[in-house]
Amino acid sequence: MDLQKIRADFPILSREVYGKPLVYFDNGATTQKPRQVVDAITDEYYSVNANVHRGVHFLSQQATELHEASRETVRKFIHAGSTNEIIFTRGTTESINLFVSSFGEEFMQEGDEVILSVMEHHSNIVPWQLLAAKRGIAIKVIPMNDRGELLLDEYKQLFSERTKIVSVAHVSNVLGTVNPVKEMIRYAHGQGVPVLVDGAQSIPHMPVDVQDLDADFYVFSGHKVYGPTGVGVLYGKEEWLDKMPPYQGGGEMIQHVSFERTTFNELPFKFEAGTPDYIGTTGLAKALDYVSAIGMEKIAAHEHELTTYAMTRLKEIPGMRIFGEAEEKGSVISFLVGDIHHFDMGTLLDRLGIAVRTGHHCAQPLMQRLGIEGTVRASFGLYNTKEEIDVLVAGIERVSRMF
Ligand code: PMP
């Protein structure tokens, strides 16, 4: 990977913060955008913009073609079988809410169960709790060991005849653990239970093949994979999506409306009420083209090297406590140093130009499991370098000395 060339595609990476070169290690929260993505968005607004699907005029048709071509780009990127299985949403959170609402309504009754893991993001917990309050479903939780690996034997014990769905993160946004979702899916299918994979933290970092995983549903956000904010995806197997009711009502998702009776559009439009973010989908497709051109395998290898290097260097710091040391670990490192509050560490690192995230990372149940309030989290992207990790290590050492 030509890092110099890649970094030049991301103008923000050459800016300074408090007079220091920016070191951007908050990629788990959102990634920066290459020129190619921003240019595609600007170009479409300037030269194509028109509402999609309903227009006979030239611009509307061109905008529709771009929008549907983006769906095909997403399909190819995750190796889905059909564009009917690619639902555009606002992001991971909306994808999960759509899923829980629609799947829950059709397939879950009082006393039915969902299996989640202890390391889920709030967006894969709270929608289930809302459903639990409405429908009386029960939530079961897969525990983990102290390295941050899910306990698969315990996972298997959680299944009962009331289990209707497993919903689990592919990669933890706090621990970096890459969960063995393929194996988990195989087991769940053996029990006749479908699985949703939260891919928010896997899509930017590794090749994803939903058919190889045999995931029934897979969700992600565009903004975490170098695309724009406000657009994301729910992948679902057609056989499931066909049976699920619409999530929102409005334009686009209907075939025919009368006050007596309304019929719904076919997939994927049944789940896409209203004007979609057709400019956002173009940006997302450009982002996926961008990472594909580099190669997801190469990105994964580069980030693995960065993570291994960072783990070694960080462990040299006195008082360093790292949360998440799974055998299979992505490019997310959560830590605390001595009794320095994560917020103080983050604030002082910021003054050195280093952007990290602090707090509970929308995973409070996981914080409870770890017996802490929050961590400092450094998360790497394709454009990060070993030199930047050296800056982080020097920064942490400097902050530590101040305490
Ligand atoms: N799941 C995971 C594992 C995440 O890391 C995030 C974002 N931090 C989300 C879900 C939610 O994504 P979004 O805010 O883009 O909807």
Side-chain angles (χ1 to χ4, degrees):
M1 274 173 66
D2 184 348
L3 277 185
Q4 212 70 357
K5 184 164 163 282
I6 287 171
R7 288 180 69 85
D9 289 333
F10 295 80
I12 205 169
L13 296 179
S14 52
R15 72 161 288 179
E16 294 191 340
V17 174
Y18 303 114
K20 303 276 193 317
L22 169 69
V23 172
Y24 187 76
F25 281 160
D26 195 18
N27 295 285
T30 199
T31 50
Q32 300 302 345
K33 318 305 169 198
R35 235 180 253 287
Q36 289 83 340
V37 167
V38 180
D39 286 351
I41 291 169
T42 311
D43 286 351
E44 189 168 349
Y45 270 127
Y46 283 158
S47 58
V48 183
N49 182 50
N51 206 335
V52 291
H53 292 144
R54 283 165 289 223
V56 291
H57 64 82
F58 184 86
L59 288 185
S60 175
Q61 303 227 345
Q62 206 175 358
T64 304
E65 276 167 27
L66 277 172
H67 181 59
E68 291 307 322
S70 301
R71 202 187 302 274
E72 169 60 15
T73 302
V74 172
R75 183 202 68 73
K76 264 208 320 241
F77 191 75
I78 62 171
H79 299 93
S82 157
T83 48
N84 289 347
E85 302 180 316
I86 307 298
I87 315 294
F88 284 124
T89 65
R90 281 196 304 121
T92 306
T93 301
E94 190 179 58
S95 295
I96 298 176
N97 276 278
L98 184 168
F99 175 76
V100 174
S101 166
S102 175
F103 184 90
E105 184 176 323
E106 187 66 21
F107 294 111
M108 297 185 85
Q109 308 301 329
E110 187 172 347
D112 284 343
E113 296 164 359
V114 54
I115 297 178
L116 309 177
S117 88
V118 66
M119 61 181 80
E120 296 311 311
H121 187 279
H122 293 166
S123 62
N124 192 27
I125 300 174
V126 183
W128 295 107
Q129 291 175 327
L130 294 175
L131 183 66
K134 257 199 303 211
R135 275 266 156 119
I137 65 150
I139 296 171
K140 291 189 164 179
V141 182
I142 315 163
M144 66 177 201
N145 64 24
D146 290 340
R147 289 192 304 278
E149 294 161 328
L150 293 181
L151 300 175
L152 293 190
D153 286 343
E154 311 245 353
Y155 163 64
K156 292 172 186 173
Q157 299 300 319
L158 293 178
F159 283 81
S160 78
E161 68 283 0
R162 301 304 302 265
T163 307
K164 288 289 156 40
I165 179 83
V166 174
S167 190
V168 67
H170 197 175
V171 175
S172 160
N173 67 314
V174 178
L175 307 165
T177 309
V178 183
N179 289 316
V181 289
K182 190 170 174 176
E183 193 183 334
M184 294 169 77
I185 290 167
R186 201 181 316 120
Y187 185 81
H189 286 174
Q191 309 296 307
V193 175
V195 178
L196 179 143
V197 176
D198 173 355
Q201 298 293 341
S202 56
I203 200 81
H205 304 295
M206 59 182 72
V208 169
D209 183 330
V210 291
Q211 292 189 83
D212 178 56
L213 291 175
D214 204 15
D216 302 278
F217 304 92
Y218 180 93
V219 298
F220 69 92
S221 300
H223 70 97
K224 291 191 201 277
V225 57
Y226 311 98
T229 52
V231 63
V233 170
L234 163 67
Y235 159 80
K237 284 184 184 166
E238 209 164 343
E239 67 208 65
W240 281 111
L241 293 178
D242 266 338
K243 291 185 215 137
M244 286 163 51
Y247 170 54
Q248 294 180 328
E252 202 72 43
M253 50 76 73
I254 51 84
Q255 214 160 43
H256 177 78
V257 177
S258 72
F259 280 111
E260 290 70 39
R261 194 176 115 81
T262 289
T263 52
F264 302 126
N265 206 339
E266 60 204 18
L267 288 174
F269 310 110
K270 181 173 85 173
F271 291 106
E272 295 180 349
T275 300
D277 185 359
Y278 54 87
I279 306 271
T281 57
T282 297
L284 171 60
K286 276 286 165 200
L288 299 182
D289 286 343
Y290 183 85
V291 292
S292 298
I294 297 170
M296 290 311 295
E297 295 281 2
K298 277 195 190 157
I299 291 172
H302 169 65
E303 292 178 353
H304 181 70
E305 199 181 320
L306 286 179
T307 307
T308 307
Y309 180 69
M311 287 291 277
T312 309
R313 294 274 353 251
L314 289 170
K315 282 179 183 173
E316 291 163 9
I317 298 170
M320 174 61 67
R321 272 200 299 164
I322 289 175
F323 300 90
E325 300 216 46
E327 192 76 36
E328 297 293 326
K329 183 173 165 78
S331 57
V332 179
I333 304 181
S334 275
F335 63 89
L336 290 171
V337 183
D339 55 6
I340 304 172
H341 196 274
H342 50 88
F343 183 73
D344 292 335
M345 178 63 82
T347 307
L348 291 166
L349 288 175
D350 178 51
R351 289 282 156 170
L352 302 172
I354 306 163
V356 291
R357 188 142 293 247
T358 62
H360 54 63
H361 316 294
C362 298
Q364 284 181 332
L366 175 60
M367 295 298 126
Q368 273 163 25
R369 164 65 179 81
L370 296 169
I372 54 178
E373 248 179 60
T375 72
V376 185
R377 182 186 73 182
S379 49
F380 313 128
L382 62 90
Y383 36 58
N384 287 126
T385 66
K386 281 187 178 171
E387 290 72 31
E388 289 181 308
I389 288 167
D390 292 336
V391 173
L392 172 69
V393 171
I396 296 169
E397 283 170 340
R398 185 163 160 193
V399 174
S400 297
R401 279 197 299 275
M402 288 167 65
F403 282 80

